[in-house]
């Protein structure tokens, strides 16, 4: 499917509609995850349970997302993108309604886990559907638009969650997703093109059952180990060591299985990593997730503990990070389609490093306006790093590997986010106070940005020039009518 209008420059209106519908569904999962994270105290009081038990309402959701991603890699080709998207939205809306009606903490954990399965279908599908719709020539521009959701979601989630908790019951954090999800479902039925499953074009696509049994719980185990490291205050606790051991063992088992698979297609072909450009792209995105969530975690802690602000106020003060990213990503993505990714990513990384260096000079008396301005610049810088990097990934991937590449990208970004939260938690716990912890956190991010700088030269080069007479034609409507059920 082409992403261009006949003039070869502007995005086709039908593609713009598709982007809007897909991003609406993708925003639901990100917002709901980060909203619920600020409600742990409220849930513990409401259900008369411990903080650690209430925390499983978020941990269960996260583990369900991570465990479902590998299955989505296979299912999108088996059932088709539109059908799977509608299934994912249906699961998410059902889980949201059930979570809002939960009667005890056990039922809420179960329903949140079910909701996470829906989000685990939607999250990688956002990347897959947009990448396939855009094509390699406009990958940067479309990934830049998608980056608006990635930037705003983690920033708006705590703000929205705090506002809901101050004005309404905790149940509305989940119930509000129901009408929005139903609207997204109806729009998706009308806007998304009916794509025949790959099984109709290529024959039977066999599920790599052994690979799924190894990869899904293995990756979830690694994320759980990082989550427990943050909660227990160290990697030495058995709650972190056990899932770490199981996760590493299962992941090594998957690697051995995938490398010797000859008859069946592995769930994720590890030969993808033989491409220098692919490896550099997913590594940089993983490290970007690390520094992004390190900032999202450290800034509210500082505002609450050093300045005494409420959860809502702290969320509003850290929102400039997401706002900056949402402003810069579409611009950076558009330019990366013309000049490539390396220069833009290098400039973004250098600016981000300068911002983090400024954060290392913060003390308890630093004015919030200065911090918010620096946070805004950091968000702009991260946008100029992330959007071109994602665009370069999809310019380097052939279409039949888009699903696998998207899953790897999302998995490593999730792992980086979990690692960022765990590292920042340990830094704060081992520091002499909140200000010292804040400073040490951003010294750590400076080191991460140096690693990113060393990786940028490995990104794919600028896109090859396209002959004037080879501009793609406009998107043709599918054979089915807009309202046809997938």
């Amino acid at each position: 499917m082409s992403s261009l209008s006949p003039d070869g420059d502007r995005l086709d209106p039908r593609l713009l509609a598709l982007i809007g519908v897909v991003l609406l569904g993708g925003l639901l999962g990100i917002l709901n995850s980060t909203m619920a994270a600020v409600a742990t105290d409220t849930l513990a009081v409401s259900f008369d349970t411990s903080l650690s038990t209430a925390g499983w309402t978020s941990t269960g959701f996260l583990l369900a997302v991570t465990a479902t991603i590998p299955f989505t890699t296979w299912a999108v080709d088996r059932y088709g993108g539109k059908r799977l998207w509608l299934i994912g939205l249906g699961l998410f809306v059902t889980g949201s309604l059930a979570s809002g009606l939960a009667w005890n903490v056990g039922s809420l954990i179960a329903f949140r886990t079910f909701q996470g399965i829906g989000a685990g279908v939607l999250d990688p599908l956002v990347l897959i559907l947009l990448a396939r719709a855009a094509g390699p020539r406009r990958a940067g521009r479309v990934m830049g638009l998608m980056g608006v959701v990635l930037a705003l979601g983690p920033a708006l989630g705590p703000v929205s969650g705090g506002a809901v908790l101050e004005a309404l019951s905790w149940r509305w954090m989940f119930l509000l997703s129901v009408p929005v999800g139903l609207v997204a479902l109806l729009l998706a039925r009308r806007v998304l093109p009916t794509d025949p499953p790959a099984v109709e074009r290529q024959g039977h696509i066999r599920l790599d059952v052994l690979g799924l049994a190894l990869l899904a719980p293995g990756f979830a185990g690694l994320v759980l180990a990082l989550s427990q490291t943050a909660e227990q205050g160290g990697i030495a606790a058995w709650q972190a060591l056990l899932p770490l051991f199981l996760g590493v063992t299962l992941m090594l088992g998957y690697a051995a299985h995938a490398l010797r698979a000859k008859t069946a297609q592995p769930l994720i072909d590890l030969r993808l990593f033989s491409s220098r450009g692919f490896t550099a792209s997913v590594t940089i995105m993983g490290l970007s997730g690390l520094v992004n969530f390190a900032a999202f975690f450290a800034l509210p802690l500082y505002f609450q503990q050093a300045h005494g602000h409420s959860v809502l106020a702290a969320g509003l003060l850290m929102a400039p990070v997401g706002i900056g990213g949402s402003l810069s990503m579409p611009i950076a993505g558009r330019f990366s389609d013309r000049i490539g990714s390396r220069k833009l990513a290098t400039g973004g990384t250098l600016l981000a490093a300068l911002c983090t260096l400024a954060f290392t000079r913060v003390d308890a008396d630093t004015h919030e306006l200065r911090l918010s301005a620096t946070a805004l610049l950091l968000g702009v810088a991260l946008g100029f790093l992330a959007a071109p990097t994602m665009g370069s990934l999809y310019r380097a991937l052939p279409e039949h590997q888009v699903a696998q590449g998207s899953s790897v990208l999302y998995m490593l970004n999730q792992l980086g986010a979990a690692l960022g939260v765990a590292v920042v938690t340990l830094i704060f716990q081992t520091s002499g106070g909140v200000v010292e912890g804040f400073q040490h956190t951003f010294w750590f991010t400076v080191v991460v940005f140096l690693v990113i700088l060393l990786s940028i030269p490995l990104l794919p080069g600028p896109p090859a020039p396209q002959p004037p007479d080879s501009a793609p034609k406009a998107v043709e409507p599918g054979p089915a009518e807009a309202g046809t059920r997938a």
Side-chain angles (χ1 to χ4, degrees), residues 374-390:
T374 306
L376 180 67
L377 280 177
L378 177 61
V380 170
L382 290 173
F384 271 91
L385 169 62
T389 301
M390 283 196 293

Side-chain angles (χ1 to χ4, degrees), residues 43-283:
L43 294 174
V45 173
S46 298
F47 291 118
D48 191 21
T49 188
S50 65
L51 282 174
S52 59
T53 300
W56 275 94
T57 58
S58 292
T59 303
F61 179 92
L62 177 62
L63 294 181
V65 171
T66 55
T68 307
I69 291 171
F71 172 78
T72 305
T73 304
W74 168 81
V76 66
D77 286 331
R78 176 63 179 81
Y79 299 107
K82 179 176 181 177
R83 182 180 300 175
L84 192 61
W85 181 260
L86 296 177
I87 291 172
L89 271 175
L91 293 174
F92 185 85
V93 171
T94 303
S96 299
L97 178 61
S99 296
L101 301 176
W103 55 90
N104 58 31
V105 70
S107 63
L108 180 58
I109 292 171
F111 294 143
R112 282 282 287 162
T113 302
F114 182 84
Q115 188 188 34
I117 295 173
V121 173
L122 295 176
D123 289 348
L125 264 183
V126 172
L127 293 171
I128 295 169
L129 293 178
L130 293 185
R132 287 179 172 176
R137 293 293 304 171
R138 291 298 183 270
R141 186 185 303 187
V142 174
M143 288 301 114
L145 294 174
M146 190 266 179
V148 174
V149 171
L150 290 179
L152 280 181
L156 292 181
V159 176
S160 304
V164 170
L165 291 177
E166 286 194 1
L168 302 167
S169 163
W170 62 265
R171 297 181 183 276
W172 286 99
M173 288 196 305
F174 309 113
L175 294 177
L176 288 174
S177 295
V178 176
V180 179
L182 290 175
V183 170
L185 192 64
L186 293 174
L187 289 175
R189 287 191 60 200
R190 294 183 59 84
V191 172
L192 294 186
T194 302
D195 55 329
V199 65
E200 297 180 9
R201 305 188 304 268
Q202 304 170 9
H204 180 64
I205 301 176
R206 181 181 174 186
L207 175 63
D208 179 13
V209 178
L210 177 58
L212 182 63
L214 292 169
L215 182 59
F219 180 62
L222 295 180
V223 173
L224 178 60
L226 293 171
S227 175
Q228 289 299 303
T229 297
E231 184 175 328
Q232 303 299 326
I235 193 67
W238 71 266
Q239 294 94 332
L241 282 177
L242 180 59
L244 178 63
F245 172 77
L246 292 176
V248 170
T249 301
L250 291 171
M251 294 295 282
L252 290 175
Y254 176 79
H257 160 73
L259 290 173
R260 68 168 179 262
K262 296 181 179 178
T263 55
Q265 175 73 17
L267 206 61
I268 291 179
D269 191 348
L270 297 184
R271 288 174 294 184
L272 282 170
F273 290 94
S274 64
S275 166
R276 186 182 70 175
F278 174 82
T279 302
S281 296
V282 296
T283 299

Side-chain angles (χ1 to χ4, degrees), residues 378-403:
L378 177 61
V380 170
L382 290 173
F384 271 91
L385 169 62
T389 301
M390 283 196 293
S392 72
L393 171 71
Y394 291 107
R395 281 192 291 269
L397 278 177
E399 184 177 355
H400 70 279
Q401 291 182 324
V402 163

Side-chain angles (χ1 to χ4, degrees), residues 302-432:
Y302 170 83
F303 285 128
Q304 291 176 69
Q305 296 184 20
H307 288 264
H309 290 298
S310 66
V311 173
L312 178 58
L316 289 170
L317 287 168
M318 60 158 293
V321 179
I323 294 172
S326 68
L327 293 174
S328 64
M329 280 194 177
I331 298 171
R334 184 183 182 93
F335 277 110
S336 73
D337 286 329
R338 299 178 181 178
I339 65 174
S341 302
R342 296 173 186 167
K343 293 180 180 178
L344 293 168
T346 299
T349 304
L350 290 173
L351 178 58
L354 290 175
C355 291
T356 54
L357 281 173
F359 279 134
T360 64
R361 309 296 298 172
V362 165
D363 57 34
D365 298 321
T366 304
H367 197 278
E368 287 93 336
L369 182 60
R370 173 187 160 190
L371 289 165
S372 296
T374 306
L376 180 67
L377 280 177
L378 177 61
V380 170
L382 290 173
F384 271 91
L385 169 62
T389 301
M390 283 196 293
S392 72
L393 171 71
Y394 291 107
R395 281 192 291 269
L397 278 177
E399 184 177 355
H400 70 279
Q401 291 182 324
V402 163
Q404 292 194 18
S406 298
S407 293
V408 172
L409 172 64
Y410 195 82
M411 289 168 69
L412 289 183
N413 190 260
Q414 286 285 96
L415 195 63
L419 180 59
V421 173
V423 169
V424 173
T425 301
L426 293 179
I427 289 175
F428 270 83
Q429 289 174 346
T430 56
S431 299

